[in-house]
Amino acid sequence: MLHRGRESTGGDGEPVVPMAWFYAEYIADELLRTGDLMPPTSVEFRAGRDALALTVFLSDTDGELSGIRVITQLETWLSLTAYDQPWQEWVQDRLDDLAADAAASGTGGPGPDLALAVEAWRWLRETELLAPDLNAVPGGAAAGEDEGPKVWTPAWQLGLPLGHLAIHLF
């Protein structure tokens, strides 16, 4: 079953349904729920889902997300979300490329899939979450999750490793 980015709900003048983005979000949601890393109602879960959905959506260079290809894409997503990769730069470059392609196509701007991806990226960059400071080790001993120093961290910096771990656990 192929999902293209610009599916209509019917005839002319009807809204375009952002199927590619919705499918990427669905894949990310399922990966995170399967990993059972945190409650689906938490803001951390949203950060992981959005980071993973962006990875899934932006790595689909053919404009198609196929249900059967999900398993074959896991290694690609793992490499894109790895700790030593410049994920945030890759996301921005891919979004810029897709926006330029949309502008060049003369369709009147980005489609709904790209608009949702851009909004997710904006939220991940601008939202900060209070997280344990992994660079500080109080008293030389590891502290519990609710103990020790905390720092404000951009949501993507929490969501990305969460998504990466969810892929591993899948």
Side-chain angles (χ1 to χ4, degrees):
M1 174 182 204
L2 297 176
H3 297 276
R4 300 200 186 278
R6 297 188 60 95
E7 296 292 329
S8 177
T9 59
D12 291 330
E14 300 235 358
V16 177
V17 178
M19 291 303 296
W21 178 257
F22 287 160
Y23 193 55
E25 260 189 339
Y26 169 76
I27 292 168
D29 196 75
E30 286 300 310
L31 287 169
L32 285 166
R33 286 178 190 268
T34 301
D36 196 26
L37 298 170
M38 57 193 31
T41 56
S42 69
V43 72
E44 292 86 357
F45 185 92
R46 178 184 175 186
R49 186 194 63 219
D50 283 1
L52 202 46
L54 274 170
T55 304
V56 170
F57 177 74
L58 296 174
S59 66
D60 180 35
T61 57
D62 295 332
E64 300 175 344
L65 288 171
S66 171
I68 197 135
R69 282 190 18 201
V70 168
I71 299 299
T72 64
Q73 292 298 308
L74 291 176
E75 287 299 319
T76 300
W77 300 335
L78 272 174
S79 68
L80 288 169
T81 59
Y83 176 74
D84 60 348
Q85 297 302 309
W87 182 83
Q88 70 279 13
E89 293 156 5
W90 172 78
V91 167
Q92 190 61 60
D93 289 345
R94 286 289 295 138
L95 288 172
D96 291 345
D97 290 347
L98 290 173
D101 290 348
S105 71
T107 58
D113 292 303
L114 183 55
L116 288 172
V118 167
E119 179 57 26
W121 180 228
R122 184 198 60 74
W123 184 84
L124 285 167
R125 278 190 342 263
E126 295 178 2
T127 302
E128 291 190 342
L129 306 175
L130 194 58
D133 185 356
L134 299 178
N135 293 323
V137 181
E145 182 178 318
D146 293 327
E147 303 168 9
K150 298 194 183 284
V151 294
W152 289 101
T153 306
W156 73 266
Q157 288 184 346
L158 247 56
L160 188 62
L162 182 63
H164 185 79
L165 182 57
I167 296 168
H168 267 294
L169 294 174
F170 187 75

